Each structure stands twice: as structure tokens, then as C-alpha cells.
Amino acid sequence: VQLEESGGGSVHAGESLTLSCAASSASYCMGWFRQAPGKAREGIAAIKRDGTTVYVDSVKGRFTISQDSATNTLYLQLNSLESNDTAMYFCAADLRRVCGVSLIRWLELQPAPPYTDWGQGTQVTVSS
């Protein structure tokens, strides 16, 4: 699956952004991950084809993941941004339904979930 993210930028704390990820084909589940300088990549939100979503605690209530099945586009709405949200944001597609066992476990696999395609990333910078 080819993935291309867009929508990143530089904003002030408290502001919002919407990230998009255009996928070349559908996947059983997809997710958003981020990596800040000097830190490990972390999964933050994931969604199954049936619309089931999961979030890690650090973004729950502020970020919303969604998908447009007609266009194979994944979105991440980022609200109430904080300076520690600054990172490169990546979308990912699960190629072998590893996420089928547990969507939240797939999201939390370290260093990264296996059998996954990744986009090139889009930078989000939040200044306080």
C-alpha cells in the first residue's frame, strides 16, 4: 500500500490541524504514529475498516481519527495542540491483519508493528 500524508504545519498551542493520508488501496486497519526527535515512534490512534477506533491516553479527547472508505483516505483531526505534540506524524497500513487480534495492541507494538506500510510523514510543530 502506498501512503502519502499531508496537512502538517506550524501552529501555536491550543490551535488545530487536520492531517490526511491518501492510500493506494484499502486496508483492514490503519493508524497514525508519531516520532519526536530523540524518541521512539509511538502509535497514537488506529481505526478498523468497520469504524472501530482506539486512542492512546495522551491524545484521547483531543485527536480524532476517521476514514473515507470511498477514497481510501485516512484523517487525523488534532485539536487543543500542545508543544509536546511536536513530532513527525506517519500513517500506517496493516498488511496482514495483525491488528485483528487487538487494535490497541497493534498500535502499541514496539519498535513498530510488523507487516506494515508507512508513509513518508508530515511534520507538526507546536509552539507555546
Side-chain angles (χ1 to χ4, degrees), residues 16-69:
S16 300
L17 280 173
T18 302
L19 306 183
S20 300
C21 173
S24 59
S25 62
S27 298
Y28 183 68
C29 64
M30 297 185 70
W32 286 98
F33 295 72
R34 66 185 180 186
Q35 187 166 18
K39 294 189 176 181
R41 185 173 296 190
E42 63 167 339
I44 56 175
I47 187 168
K48 281 186 178 179
R49 192 180 297 168
D50 66 3
T52 303
T53 59
V54 294
Y55 302 89
V56 295
D57 288 344
S58 60
V59 306
K60 199 173 293 183
R62 299 189 299 123
F63 293 4
T64 302
I65 189 171
S66 62
Q67 61 190 355
D68 183 338
S69 300

Side-chain angles (χ1 to χ4, degrees), residues 9 13-14 28 34-35 53-54 61 70 76 78 86 91 99 102 119:
Y28 183 68
R34 66 185 180 186
Q35 187 166 18
T53 59
V54 294
L76 186 68
L78 296 78
T86 295
C91 66
C99 64
S102 168

Side-chain angles (χ1 to χ4, degrees), residues 5-6 88-91 118-123:
E5 303 94 336
S6 60
M88 185 72 78
Y89 284 69
F90 301 87
C91 66
W118 299 88
Q120 82 290 347
T122 187
Q123 178 68 37

